[in-house]
Amino acid sequence: MDTPERNQIGTPISKFEDSPVFNFINSLSPIKPVKSVHSIQTINSLSFSSPPSVFTSPHVSCHRESRFLRSHNVLDASKHQVLSEDGKKFCSSEEALADSAHAYHNSSEPQGNADQRIPLEDSTTDPSNEQPEFPIELPQTLKYDCGSPACDPPTGGDETNSLMDLSGKAASDVTYVDEACEQNPPETEVPLPGMCQIEPRIGGSECDWDGLLADATDLLIFNSPNERETLKGLMQKSFDPSGSFSNFMSQLPQTTLSHGEKMPIVDPAASGSEHEIEDHPSQQGEVIENDQAQDNLANTAGMGCYPNNTLNNQLVSITRHGIRRRCLDFEMVGGRRKNTNDGSNNSSSSALQSDERNVAFDKQLLPAKRNGNSQRCTLPGIGLHLNALGGIKDYKSLNIENISSGRQLSLPSPALQQSSSQEHSLALVPVPAEGDSGLPDNGFQPAEDCSQPSGYVVDEDFNHNSPKKKRRKLESAGDGESCKRCNCKKSKCLKLYCECFAAGVYCIEPCSCQDCFNKPIHEDTVLATRKQIESRNPLAFAPKVIRSSDSVPEIGDDPNKTPASARHKRGCNCKKSNCLKKYCECYQGGVGCSISCRCEGCKNGYGRKDGSAPIGIEAEPEEETESSEKAVAEKSLQKSEIQNNEEHPESTLATTPLRICRPLLPLSFSSKGKPPRSSFITTIPASGLYASQKLGKPSILRSQPKFEKPFKPVSNDEMPEVLRGDGSPSVKTSSPNGKRISSPNCEFGSSPTRRSGRKLILQSIPSFPSLTAPHL
DNA sequence: GAGTTTGAAACT
DNA sequence: CAGTTTCAAACTC
C-alpha cells in the first residue's frame, strides 16, 4: 500500500522523506515516533483545548472547555495510567460499546468530552470486537479516542490486537506505540499516501480542506510525531492560501501536539486503522465489531447519529484526532449512512470525497443528529431546519470566531447554530451542563444525556417507531426534561405549539408526535410554515427568554441581578399558577417576571413582577429597570451607548464585544433539544457562563431544573439580545407579544441592567435573518 | 397511563 | 385589539 501511494505522491513525499525522521521511520519500526511523542506530550495538554473548540459546536465547546481543563489535567497527571487502563479496557467490549455509543454522540462535542471519554472509548474501540462491516463506528470512537490519550489504540484490528498486547505488556505509551508500529509497520508509511490522496481532493471546498488537512496531519502524525510536525509545516505551506485552512492548521498542530501525549498510541493506531480499512478489511472487521454493536444499538434506538460505517471508518481512520475527526465524523454521519453501506471498502480518498458529498446531504439531517450527539437534546437546537437554510455565512463567521477565540461560541439563534453545525458538519452538541458532574463518568454521561441527542442523531424515521416509549426512556434515562421532545398530535409539529418546531429543530426519535411534518423530508413545508409564522411574528422563533447576563456582569452591579437580568421576551400571562409552575414561561425559563408580564398573583421565585424576588433572586423586572436607569444616570456614556443601541442596535453591536457572543449564543438553547420550551433560550455570556446553563440542549434541559433552582437563571445573553432586537425593533409589533413587549423592551433598554443588553439586541437581530434566509 | 389543568398559540 | 378556541405541555391522580 504504502509504497505505491508514496510513488504517486511524489513531491510531497519527497519533502517528508527529506526529514531524517521520516527516513528513519521508513527504514525502521515505529519506535522512533514514540520519542517524538513524548516531547510533544507536554504541549498537548495545553494546546489541546483550543482546537476542539473550533470544531466543536459552540455549545459543546463551552462545556468542553471547562471540562477540558479538568480532563486535561487528569490526563496529564495520569496519562500513563490511563493508557495502561485503556489497554485493560480494550479487552472489555462492554464498556466499549456503551462508550462508543456515547462517543458518537460526543463526536460533535469534542474533545473536551472526548478527552474524558476517549480513554474509555478508545479502550472499548480498541478491543474492536469486530464486525468488519461496521468499522465505521470504531473509527469514530477511535477518533475521539485519538483526541484523548487513550484513543490511539482504536485503529485497526491489528492495532487493537497490538494494543491489547501492549496494554498487557506495558503501561507506558511508548511501549504501546512501538508494538503498534511493529505489528503494523506499513501503517507508518500509510499516512503519507493518505496525504497525497487527500490533497487533490482538498481542492474542493475549504471545509473539505480542513478535514483533509486534519486527516493528513493525523496520518502523518501517526507515523511519528516528528513527521507530523514536518508534515504540518508542509501542509501549512501548501494550504496557506485558504485562510480557513491556515487557521485550521494552526490549531491542528496543537491537536497533534495534544495527541502527542497519547501520540505514541495514537499514531500507530491511526496508521493502522487506515490500512486496515482500506487494505485489510478483515482487520477492520475486528475493530468494527464494537462499532457494530454500537451501531446496532444506535439503529435500534433509531439513532441516525452513528454514521455509516464505511465512510466513517475511512474518515475516522484519517481523522482520529479529536477535532478534525469530529468534523469529518459529523459530516460523515449524514453522508455515511447512505454511502457507508455501499462502499465500506472504498479507498480513503473515495471515502473522503463521499464524505464531502454526504455532508451536503447531511446538512439537513445532521443538525438533529448532531444535536443528539451533542448531548442531547440540546442539541435539539441543533437539528434546526433553520440550520440547513441558514446560513452558511453565519456559520463561517461563527467558526472563525470560535477558532479565534478557541472557544465555542454560543449560537445566537437556533438557526445560526444549526447552520453552523451543518455546514461545519460539527454537530452542535450541547454538552450537557453536567460536564461538571463527572468528567470520567460524565464523559459518557453527556453522551447519555445525549441519549436524547442520540435521538437527534437518530434518523427521523426511527423516531416514530415508538416515540412515546423512547421519549420517556430518554427522559427517565437522562434528565427527564432534557430528553423530552414534542408530543404533538394535531399540529403536525408545524406550529409553535410544537416545541421542536418552535425551537427550530426537526423532530426526532424522542418525539412522540403524530403526523409529524417537522422533518427534513418535509423541509419545504417546514420552511414555508416557518416563514408564515415569522411573517406574523418575526420573533416567533426567537428565544423566549432573553438574558442580559452580559450586561449584568459587565455592569458590575450585583451579580445576583444576573437572573433578574434575564427576562421573558413577551412576559407571561399566568393567572392560576402564580408563576410558580412551568406553565409559566418565565418560570420555566428560569427568569423572573417583568413589567411586560400580565400575570396575576405573581410569585415567581426568580423574580416577581413587582420586583420582589422571593427566592432570593433579586426582583427583576420593574425594579431592575429602575436600577438600570440609575445606573444609566451614573454612566452617561453607557447610557448613551445603550440608547444608541436600542435605537441603532446594529451599530452598537458592532462596536461592542458582545456582538460576537450574541450571534453565537442565540441558538444555543435551541440546540438543547428541548429546553423548556424550544423557545426558551439561555443566553450565554461570552465569558463562559455557559457552563452553568448554556450548555446546549443539555443545558436547556438541565437548565430548566436549574432554573427551578433559582440561580442560574438563565443567563442568556443571546436571548436577551434577540428579544431586545425584537423588542426594540418593530418586530414585536406584529407579535401578540408586542403588547407586552413594549414594556419589556423598555425594561431592557431603559434599565441599566440591560445596558449590556443593548448590544444584545443587535446580535439577536442577525440571528433571525439567518433563520429566514434559509427559507429562501 | 389517563385525565386534568394551564397558558401559549392560533384563530375570529 | 379583545375574545375565543385550539393545542400541547405540565401537572395530578
Side-chain angles (χ1 to χ4, degrees):
Chain A
M1 292 296 290
D2 296 348
T3 57
E5 291 177 352
R6 290 178 181 175
N7 294 341
Q8 293 175 345
I9 293 165
T11 58
I13 294 168
S14 64
K15 292 177 181 178
F16 293 97
E17 288 176 353
D18 292 349
S19 67
V21 175
F22 182 84
N23 293 339
F24 182 82
I25 293 166
N26 291 340
S27 65
L28 297 177
S29 65
I31 294 167
K32 289 180 179 180
V34 172
K35 291 177 181 179
S36 63
V37 170
H38 291 287
S39 63
I40 293 166
Q41 290 175 344
T42 58
I43 296 167
N44 293 346
S45 63
L46 296 176
S47 62
F48 197 58
S49 63
S50 65
S53 65
V54 170
F55 292 91
T56 63
S57 65
H59 293 290
V60 173
S61 65
C62 296
H63 294 289
R64 291 176 186 175
E65 288 178 353
S66 63
R67 291 180 182 177
F68 271 87
L69 295 176
R70 293 177 183 175
S71 65
H72 289 290
N73 293 343
V74 173
L75 294 175
D76 294 348
S78 64
K79 289 177 182 177
H80 297 287
Q81 292 175 349
V82 172
L83 295 174
S84 64
E85 291 177 356
D86 292 348
K88 292 177 181 179
K89 290 178 180 178
F90 290 103
C91 295
S92 66
S93 62
E94 294 176 354
E95 293 175 353
L97 294 176
D99 293 351
S100 63
H102 293 292
Y104 287 99
H105 296 290
N106 293 346
S107 63
S108 65
E109 292 178 348
Q111 297 173 343
N113 295 344
D115 292 351
Q116 294 172 345
R117 296 175 184 173
I118 292 165
L120 295 176
E121 292 176 355
D122 293 350
S123 65
T124 57
T125 57
D126 293 351
S128 60
N129 305 331
E130 12 322 11
Q131 305 171 348
E133 292 175 355
F134 298 85
I136 295 165
E137 291 177 353
L138 293 177
Q140 291 174 344
T141 57
L142 293 176
K143 292 175 180 179
Y144 297 103
D145 294 350
C146 294
S148 66
C151 359
D152 306 354
T155 59
D158 293 350
E159 290 176 354
T160 58
N161 294 341
S162 65
L163 293 175
M164 295 296 292
D165 295 348
L166 293 175
S167 65
K169 291 177 181 178
S172 67
D173 296 351
V174 171
T175 57
Y176 218 119
V177 171
D178 294 351
E179 290 179 354
C181 295
E182 291 176 356
Q183 290 177 346
N184 299 335
E187 292 177 353
T188 58
E189 292 176 355
V190 170
L192 294 175
M195 292 296 291
C196 295
Q197 292 175 346
I198 292 165
E199 290 176 354
R201 295 174 184 173
I202 291 165
S205 65
E206 292 177 354
C207 295
D208 294 347
W209 281 82
D210 293 348
L212 294 176
L213 292 176
D215 292 348
T217 57
D218 290 349
L219 294 175
L220 295 175
I221 291 165
F222 294 144
N223 291 344
S224 68
N226 291 342
E227 290 178 353
R228 292 181 193 167
E229 293 176 353
T230 57
L231 292 175
K232 290 178 181 177
L234 294 175
M235 293 295 291
Q236 291 175 344
K237 290 177 181 178
S238 63
F239 297 95
D240 289 352
S242 66
S244 65
F245 178 80
S246 63
N247 292 344
F248 201 86
M249 291 302 293
S250 64
Q251 292 175 345
L252 291 178
Q254 293 175 346
T255 59
T256 57
L257 292 175
S258 65
H259 292 290
E261 294 175 353
K262 301 172 181 180
M263 287 298 296
I265 295 167
V266 171
D267 294 352
S271 63
S273 65
E274 289 178 352
H275 292 287
E276 290 176 355
I277 294 167
E278 294 175 352
D279 296 347
H280 308 283
S282 64
Q283 290 175 346
Q284 290 176 346
E286 291 176 354
V287 173
I288 294 163
E289 289 177 352
N290 293 342
D291 292 347
Q292 281 185 335
Q294 293 174 347
D295 289 351
N296 292 344
L297 293 176
N299 291 342
T300 57
M303 302 297 294
C305 299
Y306 303 84
N308 291 344
N309 298 338
T310 58
L311 295 177
N312 293 344
N313 291 342
Q314 292 174 346
L315 294 177
V316 170
S317 62
I318 293 167
T319 57
R320 297 200 184 137
H321 298 294
I323 296 168
R324 320 171 216 136
R325 294 173 184 172
R326 293 174 186 170
C327 294
L328 295 177
D329 291 351
F330 291 99
E331 292 176 354
M332 297 302 294
V333 173
R336 290 175 186 174
R337 292 177 184 173
K338 295 176 182 177
N339 295 342
T340 50
N341 294 341
D342 295 349
S344 62
N345 293 342
N346 294 345
S347 64
S348 64
S349 64
S350 65
L352 293 176
Q353 292 175 348
S354 65
D355 292 348
E356 292 177 353
R357 293 176 183 175
N358 293 343
V359 171
F361 290 95
D362 295 350
K363 289 178 180 179
Q364 293 174 345
L365 297 177
L366 292 179
K369 293 176 181 178
R370 291 173 186 173
N371 292 345
N373 291 346
S374 59
Q375 295 168 347
R376 93 183 34 294
C377 300
T378 343
L379 272 261
I382 303 152
L384 306 182
H385 350 78
L386 299 181
N387 298 345
L389 299 180
I392 295 169
K393 294 176 181 177
D394 293 349
Y395 94 71
K396 288 178 181 178
S397 64
L398 293 176
N399 290 347
I400 294 167
E401 290 175 353
N402 291 345
I403 294 166
S404 65
S405 64
R407 293 178 182 177
Q408 331 66 8
L409 303 181
S410 59
L411 297 182
S413 66
L416 294 177
Q417 290 175 343
Q418 291 174 345
S419 64
S420 66
S421 66
Q422 290 176 343
E423 291 177 354
H424 291 288
S425 73
L426 297 181
L428 297 181
V429 173
V431 174
E434 296 172 353
D436 298 352
S437 65
L439 293 180
D441 294 350
N442 297 345
F444 299 102
Q445 289 177 345
E448 290 178 354
D449 293 349
C450 296
S451 61
Q452 292 177 341
S454 66
Y456 296 94
V457 172
V458 172
D459 291 357
E460 299 163 355
D461 295 351
F462 295 157
N463 297 347
H464 299 289
N465 292 347
S466 59
K468 291 179 181 178
K469 292 178 181 178
K470 292 177 181 178
R471 175 185 175 189
R472 290 179 182 177
K473 288 178 181 178
L474 294 176
E475 290 176 353
S476 63
D479 296 351
E481 294 174 353
S482 65
C483 296
K484 282 185 180 178
R485 276 276 189 163
C486 71
N487 189 28
C488 305
K489 294 178 181 178
K490 295 181 179 179
S491 66
K492 295 181 181 179
C493 297
L494 289 178
K495 292 187 177 181
L496 293 175
Y497 293 126
C498 176
E499 291 183 357
C500 297
F501 181 79
V505 180
Y506 287 118
C507 291
I508 56 174
E509 203 179 346
C511 295
S512 59
C513 48
Q514 297 176 0
D515 296 337
C516 179
F517 277 78
N518 186 25
K519 295 180 180 180
I521 295 170
H522 301 286
E523 180 181 1
D524 294 343
T525 301
V526 172
L527 295 177
T529 303
R530 280 184 67 94
K531 262 189 166 183
Q532 291 179 350
I533 294 171
E534 286 180 341
S535 65
R536 287 185 297 180
N537 177 8
L539 298 179
F541 294 94
K544 292 180 180 177
V545 175
I546 298 170
R547 210 207 196 178
S548 63
S549 61
D550 295 351
S551 65
V552 172
E554 290 177 355
I555 291 166
D557 291 356
D558 295 350
N560 294 341
K561 290 179 180 179
T562 311
S565 64
R567 294 299 159 72
H568 190 272
K569 177 174 66 177
R570 296 179 182 178
C572 66
N573 190 29
C574 304
K575 293 179 179 178
K576 295 181 180 179
S577 67
N578 294 331
C579 301
L580 291 174
K581 292 185 179 181
K582 285 188 175 180
Y583 295 124
C584 175
E585 290 189 352
C586 295
Y587 180 84
Q588 188 176 18
V591 300
C593 292
S594 63
I595 296 169
S596 62
C597 297
R598 298 185 217 168
C599 52
E600 296 177 358
C602 178
K603 294 180 182 179
N604 188 337
Y606 295 97
R608 294 180 184 178
K609 181 177 176 183
D610 295 348
S612 64
I615 293 171
I617 294 170
E618 297 175 355
E620 306 166 346
E622 296 173 353
E623 289 179 355
E624 289 178 353
T625 58
E626 293 175 355
S627 64
S628 64
E629 292 175 353
K630 292 177 182 177
V632 172
E634 291 175 353
K635 299 175 183 179
S636 62
L637 296 176
Q638 292 177 345
K639 232 175 152 184
S640 62
E641 291 177 352
I642 294 166
Q643 293 174 346
N644 292 340
N645 292 338
E646 291 175 352
E647 294 176 356
H648 305 283
E650 293 175 354
S651 64
T652 57
L653 293 178
T655 60
T656 62
L658 294 179
R659 288 177 66 187
I660 296 167
C661 300
R662 294 174 183 175
L664 298 177
L665 299 181
L667 296 183
S668 62
F669 46 72
S670 63
S671 65
K672 289 180 178 178
K674 296 209 153 174
R677 288 188 177 184
S678 60
S679 62
F680 290 97
I681 295 170
T682 59
T683 61
I684 297 165
S687 60
L689 296 182
Y690 307 39
S692 64
Q693 291 177 337
K694 308 204 185 126
L695 311 185
K697 83 170 204 96
S699 65
I700 294 169
L701 297 180
R702 295 175 184 174
S703 66
Q704 290 178 343
K706 289 179 181 178
F707 290 111
E708 291 176 353
K709 299 177 180 174
F711 44 86
K712 280 184 172 194
V714 180
S715 51
N716 301 321
D717 300 349
E718 297 172 353
M719 293 306 295
E721 293 175 353
V722 170
L723 296 178
R724 291 177 182 176
D726 296 350
S728 63
S730 60
V731 173
K732 285 205 164 170
T733 56
S734 64
S735 66
N737 294 346
K739 299 174 184 178
R740 300 172 185 172
I741 293 164
S742 62
S743 64
N745 291 344
C746 296
E747 290 176 354
F748 292 94
S750 66
S751 68
T753 56
R754 300 324 175 217
R755 23 185 157 30
S756 62
R758 54 204 158 191
K759 296 175 182 177
L760 296 176
I761 294 166
L762 295 177
Q763 292 175 343
S764 65
I765 293 167
S767 67
F768 289 95
S770 66
L771 295 176
T772 59
H775 293 288
L776 302 179

